[in-house]
Amino acid sequence: MKYALLMFTNPEDARALSREDLDRIGRKHENLRNDLTATGELLNGAGLVLPDQTTLLRLENGDTVVTRQGPFAAEAAEHVTAYYVVECVDAERAREIGVQLLDDHVLAVEIRAIHDSTGM
């Protein structure tokens, strides 16, 4: 089964990270990526820019409206900061991987099963 592991952080906290913090976080994710690659579970993953650098598209009265004022939930204190896409045996294993993503930087990890339609 494929799962998306969505990592949430507070953008203000992310901006305040020191070089030492960024290096520590980078090493942690490099180790996890290496482990998941070795087991064949890692399909994809990436960090995302902060919400104030995003583009939002909406459909309003049949017209596409483009905004550059941040995310859909601009008032939210937590935003998706990165993601992993994994393929593993079950939801329990996806949770085991998700737990490894939590720290003082990642406030929450949402795990969603992926409905894969690539074979259709």
Side-chain angles (χ1 to χ4, degrees):
M1 184 78 176
K2 293 179 184 175
Y3 297 90
L5 284 66
L6 307 174
M7 300 162 53
F8 288 80
T9 190
N10 179 315
E12 295 307 314
D13 293 344
R15 285 185 186 90
L17 291 171
S18 68
R19 178 81 258 161
E20 181 179 279
D21 290 333
L22 292 171
D23 289 344
R24 175 185 51 79
I25 291 165
R27 285 190 305 274
K28 175 183 173 178
H29 287 282
E30 181 178 1
N31 291 336
L32 181 58
R33 283 190 308 272
N34 290 339
D35 291 347
L36 295 175
T37 298
T39 63
E41 295 171 304
L42 182 63
L43 299 180
N44 194 336
L48 302 172
V49 298
L50 292 174
D52 60 0
Q53 299 170 358
T54 63
T55 299
L56 180 65
L57 305 175
R58 294 180 187 264
L59 192 59
E60 293 181 6
N61 300 318
D63 295 323
T64 302
V65 178
V66 180
T67 39
R68 291 184 176 21
Q69 298 176 350
F72 180 71
E75 68 282 355
E78 298 174 2
H79 298 276
V80 177
T81 188
Y83 69 91
Y84 283 79
V85 177
V86 298
E87 186 166 18
C88 49
V89 296
D90 57 22
E92 180 58 34
R93 175 61 181 144
R95 283 190 292 273
E96 290 172 3
I97 296 167
V99 166
Q100 296 178 62
L101 300 174
L102 294 169
D103 62 23
D104 56 340
H105 167 251
V106 177
L107 306 173
V109 174
E110 181 178 354
I111 301 170
R112 289 192 191 186
I114 295 174
H115 300 289
D116 192 355
S117 61
T118 56
M120 296 176 111

